[in-house]
Amino acid sequence: MGEGQFQVGDEHLNRLNQLDDELLTALDSGDESAFQSALGQLLAAVREVGSAVPDDSLEPSDLILPDEGATIDQVRELLRTEGDGLIPGLPE
């Protein structure tokens, strides 16, 4: 949210799902420091493995990630609408 769009290949979903699981664990624990660290790692991984979509191109998004300054409560609310984590699983 607020950073633009990235395209991420399916070959990276396992790694992103692992980071998403770490984020959920930190979220469940209520540990703000662990949560911020896990969120930062997830966002950094998306930036690392993803390809930025040009700003003048608007593509449909499979998911929306919170920004780096998001709080635990904001992400909990996002997850209420998204379901099991922020990163979708591998396609069947």
Side-chain angles (χ1 to χ4, degrees):
M1 294 173 64
E3 191 170 331
Q5 291 182 295
F6 290 83
Q7 290 182 336
V8 177
D10 288 345
E11 67 272 16
H12 301 292
L13 287 181
N14 282 334
R15 177 176 177 214
L16 296 179
N17 271 309
Q18 179 183 18
L19 293 169
D20 189 31
D21 288 345
E22 292 172 17
L23 179 80
L24 291 174
T25 298
L27 189 76
D28 289 342
S29 75
D31 182 339
E32 184 74 35
S33 177
F35 167 78
Q36 289 298 326
S37 176
L39 179 58
Q41 289 177 33
L42 176 59
L43 295 174
V46 169
R47 290 180 201 115
E48 177 187 326
V49 301
S51 301
V53 174
D55 289 338
D56 61 352
S57 173
L58 185 59
E59 313 240 347
S61 295
D62 292 332
L63 62 107
I64 297 174
L65 296 176
D67 63 71
E68 243 169 320
T71 66
I72 284 179
D73 289 336
Q74 289 170 327
V75 174
R76 281 185 181 137
E77 184 60 33
L78 182 62
L79 288 172
R80 281 192 193 109
T81 60
E82 294 296 318
D84 296 334
L86 297 171
I87 306 295
L90 290 171
E92 299 293 322

